[in-house]
């Protein structure tokens, strides 16, 4: 539409442009502004421009604006989603004692994520002890930590650390029982948090 107005204003002498009000050219609707083509063509004839603006130009412009608006809405929604995920804290850290247990730890992490929790995988270094990692996780505000070692992988088990309220450690729990415990404790954590 800007091109149309530029074309109109180039044709009209500056002295005639000043003080021209064009409200009758627009139909203002709740969802968008549309141009009243009949009023616009009448206006052009009054200005002695004599040419009509094809409705295709207006429709194309409207479609481009509509696509742009949709794109902006999608972008805004995506930005809100990203911000919400960034604001959300890790709710369970899966601490892996040995890199050979990586696949098992990832499968445990997926099960915990299926409970609705945000999960972080932490691989132990030789420089840092398990107790130091658990202290760091607790200080970071993470309510749960699950420790995975090669022994846990062999027995399909894990050690669950509940870090909120009164800290608890449940060693060598079968994985199915551990998931039930984490799910119940997570529900209790959400209630206490609100």
């Amino acid at each position: 539409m800007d091109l149309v107005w530029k074309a109109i204003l180039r044709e009209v002498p500056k002295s005639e442009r000043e003080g021209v009000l064009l409200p009758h050219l627009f139909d203002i609707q709740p969802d968008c502004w549309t141009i009243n083509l009949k009023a616009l063509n009448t206006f052009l004839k009054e200005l002695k421009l004599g040419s009509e603006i094809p409705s295709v130009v207006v429709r194309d412009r409207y479609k481009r604006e509509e696509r742009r608006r949709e794109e902006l809405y999608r972008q805004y929604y995506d930005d809100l989603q990203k911000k919400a995920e960034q604001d959300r804290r890790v709710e369970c850290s899966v601490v892996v004692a040995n890199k050979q247990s990586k696949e098992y730890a990832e499968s445990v992490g997926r099960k915990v994520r299926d409970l609705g929790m945000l999960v972080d995988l932490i691989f132990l270094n030789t420089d840092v002890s398990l107790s130091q990692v658990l202290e760091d996780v607790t200080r970071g505000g993470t309510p749960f930590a699950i420790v995975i070692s090669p022994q846990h992988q062999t027995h399909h088990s894990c050690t669950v650390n509940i870090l909120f309220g009164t800290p608890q450690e449940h060693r060598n729990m079968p994985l199915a029982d551990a998931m039930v415990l984490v799910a119940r404790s997570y529900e209790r954590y959400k209630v206490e948090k609100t």
Side-chain angles (χ1 to χ4, degrees):
M1 204 58 217
D2 295 334
L3 295 174
V4 173
W5 289 117
K6 287 178 184 174
I8 291 170
L9 294 176
R10 258 190 256 132
E11 297 288 330
V12 178
K14 189 172 184 178
S15 60
E16 292 178 31
R17 275 188 252 155
E18 293 175 14
V20 174
L21 295 176
L22 308 172
H24 66 284
L25 298 179
F26 296 99
D27 293 328
I28 301 173
Q29 303 295 325
D31 56 342
C32 65
W33 283 25
T34 57
I35 296 177
N36 183 337
L37 290 176
K38 193 172 186 179
L40 179 60
N41 287 326
T42 305
F43 174 72
L44 291 173
K45 286 177 185 173
E46 288 172 3
L47 293 175
K48 299 180 179 94
L49 296 176
S51 63
E52 292 193 8
I53 297 177
S55 60
V56 174
V57 172
V58 175
R59 273 189 258 125
D60 286 347
R61 174 68 181 204
Y62 178 75
K63 286 178 185 175
R64 281 196 307 267
E65 288 174 357
E66 190 66 28
R67 281 194 302 267
R68 178 68 177 142
R69 185 179 302 130
E70 288 295 322
E71 181 181 314
L72 289 172
Y73 282 136
R74 261 187 264 114
Q75 183 180 359
Y76 179 69
Y77 178 77
D78 291 343
D79 290 346
L80 285 177
Q81 289 290 93
K82 287 177 188 173
K83 184 171 176 16
E85 286 183 17
Q86 288 172 351
D87 291 347
R88 191 172 168 196
R89 285 188 172 178
V90 173
E91 295 162 319
C92 183
S93 292
V94 178
V95 182
V96 188
N98 194 324
K99 292 228 183 216
Q100 285 99 10
S101 304
K102 178 183 176 187
E103 286 182 28
Y104 180 66
E106 287 174 344
S107 71
V108 171
R110 281 192 295 276
K111 288 179 189 230
V112 173
R113 189 181 64 220
D114 290 344
L115 297 173
M117 300 171 74
L118 189 63
V119 180
D120 187 24
L121 248 66
I122 299 173
F123 292 93
L124 284 180
N125 279 339
T126 54
D127 305 342
V128 183
S129 70
L130 177 62
S131 60
Q132 287 174 325
V133 169
L134 290 175
E135 283 177 26
D136 290 345
V137 167
T138 305
R139 251 185 275 122
T142 303
F144 300 94
I146 297 176
V147 179
I148 303 292
S149 69
Q151 178 188 1
H152 290 124
Q153 183 176 358
T154 305
H155 299 292
H156 294 317
S157 63
C158 62
T159 297
V160 176
N161 291 279
I162 300 173
L163 306 172
F164 72 96
T166 304
Q168 303 171 31
E169 182 179 49
H170 300 271
R171 293 178 181 251
N172 303 322
M173 288 188 76
L175 190 57
D177 295 342
M179 292 302 113
V180 170
L181 174 68
V182 170
R184 287 182 184 155
S185 299
Y186 183 54
E187 290 302 317
R188 194 177 78 231
Y189 169 75
K190 288 193 298 189
V191 168
E192 288 181 14
K193 187 178 166 187
T194 57

